[in-house]
Amino acid sequence: MSASALYLGAVVHARLRPVRHRLRYRMLNILLDLDEVAALGRRLVLFGHNRGALFSFHDADHGDGSATPLRAQIEALLRRAGLDPAGGRIRVLCMPRVLGMVFNPITVYFCHGADGALQAMLYEVNNTFGQRHSYLIPVTGDVRGALRQRCDKRFYVSPFMEMGLTYNFRVTLPDEALSLGIDVHDATGPLLFAAFAGRRRPLTDARLLAAFLSHPLLAARVLGGIHWEALKLWWKGMRPRPRPAPPAEPVTISSQGHTP
């Protein structure tokens, strides 16, 4: 069975303080094995790799945005973190381009070692100001069920969130179902919860066409939804926080590991 697949489901956000706010949208994500993506782009009519198609994945939409192959970039980051990728599998979970448009609030990379064990997670975050920052967190210990990791927030994302926060990630490894949850905490406790949960579908032209018909103009809906929800938060009394300069380093390497 191919390691690449579609995951169809929903994204949920719940803000707890200082005002309560909740949203839920249908969502489509694609899981791609970076060793398969070029062949998929040749085999499928409706999916392209670094070319135009109904759905597509472009390396330059991720990482440092350069022409350097994405796998090479991630392997270099793993080595900076003291890890040895040794050709292990790297899978990326993200929204694909749809009719050439994409916006990924978060892209998640599952980085495996040569023995197949999960070695690290890379969480790549984009904000609506055209900036990007990533958090690389090694995986320590045996991962069974959900993987739990944490790191301090280093990058401005929501204009209604302070900087001195902590992210708590909870990820189930890709199988027939997949989920990604992020709890955001400040010094007094939980502030916001965001999650995606989806069911696996094979990555075929027929499934891609069905996904397009049920999720048209995905990027426009995501960006439009972000701004619409921001307007509702403003109406509830929230006001934007000042936006600091992005971190000097594009990637934060954490040592938090895995919390059983």
Side-chain angles (χ1 to χ4, degrees):
M1 182 175 65
S2 171
S4 302
L6 292 171
Y7 281 88
L8 305 181
V11 63
V12 176
H13 282 229
R15 181 183 288 269
L16 307 176
R17 296 183 283 116
V19 299
R20 298 188 72 85
H21 187 72
R22 182 180 174 86
L23 63 90
R24 184 182 187 276
Y25 292 108
R26 288 186 305 140
M27 186 56 62
L28 173 156
N29 275 294
I30 191 167
L31 179 75
L32 295 170
D33 185 321
L34 291 185
D35 289 336
E36 294 181 352
V37 65
L40 288 169
R42 293 189 295 268
R43 177 171 61 83
L44 296 172
V45 174
L46 301 183
F47 175 80
H49 177 226
N50 292 332
R51 65 171 177 84
L54 183 62
F55 289 87
S56 59
F57 178 84
H58 290 236
D59 288 25
D61 292 335
H62 303 277
D64 64 11
S66 72
T68 302
L70 192 54
R71 181 182 179 92
Q73 293 185 45
I74 297 169
E75 287 185 337
L77 290 174
L78 293 170
R79 294 188 185 97
R80 278 182 51 197
L83 302 171
D84 180 12
R89 184 170 60 177
I90 298 174
R91 295 177 291 174
V92 53
L93 179 73
C94 64
M95 282 183 282
R97 285 196 187 197
V98 182
L99 293 174
M101 298 182 296
V102 70
F103 177 72
N104 271 291
I106 185 167
T107 296
V108 178
Y109 300 81
F110 300 84
C111 306
H112 298 259
D115 61 356
L118 187 64
Q119 191 175 65
M121 296 291 295
L122 180 66
Y123 304 94
E124 181 182 85
V125 181
N126 290 286
N127 64 24
T128 56
F129 304 99
Q131 299 170 323
R132 176 180 301 154
H133 188 74
S134 298
Y135 302 88
L136 176 63
I137 310 180
V139 173
T140 57
D142 186 20
V143 178
R144 296 180 183 179
L147 170 70
R148 293 177 172 84
Q149 296 181 305
R150 65 182 297 274
C151 66
D152 294 332
K153 178 182 176 181
R154 303 291 186 193
F155 177 61
Y156 184 92
V157 182
S158 167
F160 302 114
M161 302 286 282
E162 303 288 352
M163 288 298 299
L165 303 174
T166 300
Y167 293 137
N168 293 275
F169 300 100
R170 184 182 185 276
V171 186
T172 60
L173 302 188
D175 202 337
E176 290 306 308
L178 177 151
S179 65
L180 166 66
I182 307 171
D183 285 302
V184 184
H185 288 238
D186 63 12
T188 60
L191 195 63
L192 179 143
F193 172 73
F196 167 78
R199 301 289 300 179
R200 182 187 178 97
R201 297 291 183 268
L203 188 52
T204 64
D205 282 319
R207 290 289 187 179
L208 286 169
L209 179 59
F212 175 75
L213 294 176
S214 60
H215 299 77
L217 302 177
L218 184 62
R221 288 198 300 113
V222 170
L223 277 170
I226 289 172
H227 289 97
W228 174 240
E229 298 300 333
L231 179 61
K232 289 193 284 187
L233 284 170
W234 186 89
W235 184 259
K236 289 182 178 182
M238 299 291 292
R239 292 296 180 265
R241 274 58 171 176
R243 175 161 59 101
E249 290 292 330
V251 180
T252 294
I253 297 176
S254 175
S255 59
Q256 296 292 343
H258 168 56
T259 303

